[in-house]
Structures are given as C-alpha cells and as structure tokens.
Amino acid sequence: LLYKTFTTFFKKNLQLLFQMLTISKLLKFNNFYQTALRTLSSQKQSSVRPRRSLLYVPGDSERKLRKVLGLNADCVCLDIEDGVAFSRKEFARKLIPQFLETHKQECKHELAVRVNSYESQLVEEDTKAILNGKILPDCIILPKIESHDEIKRFSHLVSKIRGVEFRIPIII
C-alpha cells in the first residue's frame, strides 16, 4: 500500500519536481551571472545597455573595420578571437587600437572587443594590446567562461595592465 501511494504521488508530482529542478538550475546560473556583474562592472546595474543587436567584425581587416562606421547596430564587436586566423592575430592586436584611436568618436554605437579565451592562452596578449591603447573600447567580450575564477583572473589582469584598480564592463 505504501509503495502504491508513493508511486501515485510521484507520477502526479513528476512535472512539478522537474519544474523545481529547472528553476534551481536557473537560480544557480543567475547567481553566477550576478556575481560576474558585481566583480567587473563599474556601472550601476540600472545603467546596463540593452544590446538588441551585436555584430562581430574581424579585427584584422581594415576594409571591414571602416564599414563599422556606417552600421546601425547597438553594439559592434571588433573580434580578435574566432573571426581572425591565428597567423593574423598580432596584426589585429595592432589594428584595433589604431581604429579605436582614430574612429571611436565617429561611431554612434557601442564598440566592444572580443579577446581570445583563457583556454587559448592568448587572452593576456590580447588584453594588453587593447588596454594599452590610447582610446579604450566601451567593453570587452570575454568568451567561453568556464568558472567564476576566470572572471576574477581577468579582473586582476585588467588591474595589472592598467596599474591601478581599474574596471571595464565585460560581456560574458
């Protein structure tokens, strides 16, 4: 009788249990996301910009970078990661800061830079190249985050490069 009662209860509440597990996973992700925002964002949460469109442009192509000026996107990402061949990454690290210096004032949208991930072991070189430029991007896109520790490491890297307790918004 106990087995039959338990089975009946379990069948009736299986969907409810599944919803509870799904909500639990969402809350864990939301907690991770909120912690990431607090760690790196110097802006108040109410000033976070909506990004309805995010357009990626390879950072190693002068021709494509010039087209950025006429685009109508909320955010344009100057890419060093997947959009650039390994042999051209160094060129992109030089071209993107030059582009920001000469054209950022003309842009009517947010300019972001996507650096390589930690697993590629190129994130430090990319970040140094971008943050040592005269004009900084509006934010940095940090791809393929696996843990909160990577966000902390990135925060320390940014502060180390700029020489002070420096914050720049990131997109993860």
Side-chain angles (χ1 to χ4, degrees):
L1 181 64
L2 183 63
Y3 175 76
K4 187 175 181 181
T5 305
F6 177 75
T7 306
T8 305
F9 173 80
F10 184 74
K11 285 179 182 176
K12 287 181 181 178
N13 293 300
L14 184 60
Q15 186 175 12
L16 179 63
L17 290 170
F18 178 73
Q19 289 173 346
M20 289 171 57
L21 288 172
T22 302
I23 290 170
S24 173
K25 287 180 185 177
L26 288 172
L27 290 174
K28 285 180 184 176
F29 175 77
N30 187 42
N31 185 33
F32 169 76
Y33 178 73
Q34 294 297 328
T35 304
L37 280 177
R38 282 192 305 272
T39 302
L40 288 176
S41 179
S42 62
Q43 300 175 344
K44 292 181 182 173
Q45 202 151 354
S46 62
S47 66
V48 173
R49 299 179 190 190
R51 294 176 184 95
R52 296 165 295 216
S53 57
L54 175 60
L55 181 67
Y56 289 83
V57 178
D60 66 335
S61 172
E62 293 178 59
R63 180 180 60 83
K64 291 176 185 173
L65 287 176
R66 280 194 302 272
K67 287 185 177 183
V68 164
L69 302 174
L71 297 175
N72 190 20
D74 289 332
C75 182
V76 175
C77 173
L78 311 177
D79 196 8
I80 304 177
E81 195 206 18
D82 291 340
V84 177
F86 185 78
S87 61
R88 304 221 1 123
K89 290 194 186 288
E90 189 60 41
F91 180 67
R93 288 185 196 113
K94 292 176 185 170
L95 189 59
I96 289 174
Q98 289 173 358
F99 177 81
L100 290 170
E101 187 177 334
T102 57
H103 297 294
K104 186 171 180 199
Q105 295 298 322
E106 300 170 49
C107 289
K108 54 188 174 240
H109 43 263
E110 181 179 33
L111 285 175
V113 175
R114 179 168 69 166
V115 296
N116 282 282
S117 65
Y118 270 101
E119 70 182 25
S120 72
Q121 300 179 359
L122 299 171
V123 68
E124 192 167 335
E125 294 172 55
D126 295 346
T127 307
K128 280 181 184 177
I130 299 308
L131 294 182
N132 284 330
K134 292 179 183 174
I135 303 293
L136 299 178
D138 296 309
C139 63
I140 293 179
I141 298 177
L142 190 58
K144 301 173 186 149
I145 295 296
E146 296 292 327
S147 70
H148 185 299
D149 291 335
E150 288 182 357
I151 296 171
K152 284 183 179 178
R153 283 176 43 206
F154 187 75
S155 179
H156 292 299
L157 174 64
V158 167
S159 294
K160 184 176 95 174
I161 291 169
R162 295 299 291 190
V164 293
E165 186 65 27
F166 182 80
R167 302 282 187 218
I168 188 166
I170 66 163
I171 300 173
I172 55 173

